[in-house]
Amino acid sequence: NWYAALCEAAFLTGLERNADHVVMACYAPLFGRTSHQQWQPNLIWFDNDSVYGTPSYYVQQLFSNHVGTCFVETLSEGTFTGIYSSTLSEDGSRLYVKLVNLSGQTTSIKLKTDRPVESCVLYELSAEIDAVNSHASPNNVSPSARTLPLLSSELPELHLPGYSVTVLDLTL
């Protein structure tokens, strides 16, 4: 369900912050055939007619598609008590910021960078805590993406929904 995926996102931020010690991580088991599984959870479910990814699949997808080669120290001046990590691309042109809001309340934050931001795409996963995907509703919990408007190379205030994972893809 979404709560398990949310907790996995928090765990993945810890892996990123400790990438000098954690060489690899893998989600297992990967595939499960509906009504023929030996265990749960599985990342991807299928039957003879369809396939769907679990909420955990979409968390894994977001994190794997937005990974840099260098961890960037993140300093907090506000009251955001969520979990976050940030990485920089190898050439230094992109910054990926991952924010996990484990509380049920919407949280507002203002991010600042030490370099001007040219563009920002925000990916967000948010759902009721017990939400699941299924063959009948495969995209019940799936990410949405939108481009954030920038005001003179600064990011606007972000409103992180309760129980959400937010990934910012910043072009510097």
Side-chain angles (χ1 to χ4, degrees):
N1 65 17
W2 175 234
Y3 182 70
L6 192 62
C7 292
E8 289 164 8
F11 173 73
L12 288 173
T13 63
L15 292 181
E16 285 189 347
R17 285 193 304 271
N18 294 288
D20 54 333
H21 299 291
V22 180
V23 179
M24 288 185 275
C26 178
Y27 193 101
L30 188 57
F31 293 105
R33 183 179 166 112
T34 305
S35 300
H36 294 88
Q37 74 275 7
Q38 292 178 318
W39 54 76
Q40 287 188 345
N42 290 288
L43 198 60
I44 300 166
W45 288 93
F46 66 94
D47 62 14
N48 290 345
D49 301 315
S50 64
V51 62
Y52 71 90
T54 63
S56 294
Y57 169 82
Y58 290 110
V59 165
Q60 295 283 333
Q61 181 187 57
L62 276 179
F63 274 68
S64 68
N65 287 337
H66 300 95
V67 64
T69 58
C70 176
F71 179 71
V72 178
E73 188 65 36
T74 307
L75 302 174
S76 176
E77 293 182 0
T79 58
F80 178 60
T81 57
I83 298 168
Y84 46 87
S85 71
S86 53
T87 56
L88 193 61
S89 64
E90 188 170 8
D91 64 1
S93 67
R94 295 185 96 105
L95 177 66
Y96 305 110
V97 180
K98 295 156 185 119
L99 304 158
V100 181
N101 185 0
L102 291 171
S103 79
Q105 304 300 316
T106 297
T107 302
S108 298
I109 63 166
K110 178 77 172 160
L111 295 175
K112 295 181 182 179
T113 62
D114 59 357
R115 292 171 39 193
V117 177
E118 290 181 21
S119 65
C120 175
V121 178
L122 180 142
Y123 299 88
E124 189 173 79
L125 268 167
S126 180
E128 293 296 320
I129 203 73
D130 58 351
V132 296
N133 290 346
S134 65
H135 288 290
S137 185
N139 296 313
N140 188 38
V141 181
S142 61
S144 63
R146 61 187 161 106
T147 301
L148 290 182
L150 300 177
L151 305 170
S152 66
S153 300
E154 287 189 17
L155 294 168
E157 184 175 40
L158 299 174
H159 304 285
L160 308 175
Y163 306 125
S164 67
V165 174
T166 304
V167 176
L168 297 169
D169 184 343
L170 307 170
T171 302
L172 304 176

